[in-house]
DNA sequence: GTGGTCTAGACCACT
DNA sequence: GTGGTCTAGACCACT
């Protein structure tokens, strides 16, 4: 489980961890049920404080993406689709995507280019997931 | 120029204003060269602090999306494509889109559905722009 | 003795077991003197660690709700009313109920609706107990 | 805004703050729109660390009970009923009430006594709210 | 002046 | 050994 942080970014570190973990799951690098590093170990790996990892894990837990157990630590939710689908994040998601696409339009990026990027990214996730490891 | 804010959102107000303005431009509601409300008037309309509008406009200016003139006020940059294209926002944009798409994948949204949503949104922007623009 | 656990809940597993057992007694499914599953069997049934069941049983024992005997295993306390009444849990109970009712009020649930729910639940317990109990 | 904490309780301090604030709102001591103390000031008043207050406020915010603004601080959500009603906490609430009622039944508290306590508590909230202050 | 983030370290609870 | 809570203090972002 390797992941790159940008300590100079305006995006809080705990949010970056959350985002990278979500991508790792989509990539198939972390399969449902797979273990995440312990908060303390991950903090050492990332050279940050364990409280920051804690906050990221708490965020992922509240989103239904991971499950946390005091003994066995954090794992990707075994039924992550169901656990996340229950939350009413859809509206927010569509709004964020709309904003992103508007930025591309304003910057004059051709529609076809955006679509290709979306398609390629989605296919990348799909491909990875097929063969996907157990983390 | 009407726009809806969510005061309960985690997204800062100034960021929401910036996002909605970008969408309004993509929608063709604000053509290149078109005037934005004065910061004071906009603040009254939105029932928020004048400094918050100021901050949003400053952000848009730094992104090359609008131009601010002491006399004529804020206008959409006449050559917004060129002005924005020069900035190195591409990498960040791709990263944010990648995170958004990963969320959809994790939540089990079918690839076709995501693509349809992207295509529909882009076409909505294109259609609006055709009739509306003056640039 | 069947009981449903929510592994994603913030409520610890041992607490959930304790709560469900209390409800089973109120429901008349477990009469005073009735046997509970052995800790090991229960752990297998619930697919959890044996120590967790142990902790739940210990909690119930300290509350005067069950009795644990090395030979006969765990049974609902034969005189559960007396054994539990002696403990000074009243204050805590009232505080917890007060918090719950405050939540309903804040959420705008009509007083009549709350009362009906309370009455219905209590009657459900009473009905079950009549036919079921042996105490 | 005065509130009593039990530092020896198993209930985390931030949870106690959250519970007492909810009760203060139901009591009408804190009307919708009313200000809560700043995190730092509240921490001094309660003789605890401001991070703990921060966590309580964050919990209340995520529940839709309060609204937090970097400038004006925390206020009871102006439309707290709507903001909290949107969340799917109903099921959890009913489960917790069911457990509480089961405890009363097991302890042999007469049904009438429980109902009276519920009614009295609800009426206490209602009465306070009618004349209710602006905090 | 307000809340938000991050670091640092102690101690506790769960398993 | 794991995560959870609390304290303590620094610095930053928003308004």
């Amino acid at each position: 489980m390797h992941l790159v942080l940008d300590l100079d970014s305006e995006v809080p570190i705990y949010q970056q961890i959350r985002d990278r973990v979500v991508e790792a799951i989509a990539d198939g690098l972390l399969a449902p049920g797979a273990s995440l590093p312990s908060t303390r170990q991950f903090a050492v790996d990332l050279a940050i404080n364990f409280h920051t990892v804690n906050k990221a894990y708490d965020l992922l837990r509240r989103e239904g993406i991971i499950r946390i157990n005091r003994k066995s630590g954090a794992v990707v939710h075994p039924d992550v689709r169901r656990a996340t689908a229950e939350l009413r994040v859809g509206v927010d998601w569509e709004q964020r995507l709309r904003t992103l696409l508007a930025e591309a339009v304003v910057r004059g990026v051709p529609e076809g280019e955006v679509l290709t990027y979306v398609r390629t990214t989605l296919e990348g996730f799909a491909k990875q997931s097929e063969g996907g490891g157990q983390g």
Side-chain angles (χ1 to χ4, degrees), chain A residues 23-38:
Chain A
E23 289 163 25
I25 296 171
D27 265 335
L29 298 173
L30 280 174
S35 290
L36 279 75
S38 79

Side-chain angles (χ1 to χ4, degrees), chain A residues 1 21 24-25 28-37 57 65-67 72-79 132-135:
Chain A
M1 184 71 205
V21 167
I25 296 171
L29 298 173
L30 280 174
S35 290
L36 279 75
Y57 278 17
I65 294 171
I66 69 173
R67 189 180 263 180
S72 48
V75 299
V76 178
H77 198 293
D79 195 356
Q134 194 71 15

Side-chain angles (χ1 to χ4, degrees), chain A residues 24-29 31 81 122-133:
Chain A
I25 296 171
D27 265 335
L29 298 173
R81 293 193 179 185
L122 286 173
E123 278 165 10
F125 287 142
K127 212 173 287 177
Q128 298 281 5
S129 299
E130 276 168 35

Side-chain angles (χ1 to χ4, degrees), chain A residues 34 92 99:
Chain A
D92 190 46
T99 301

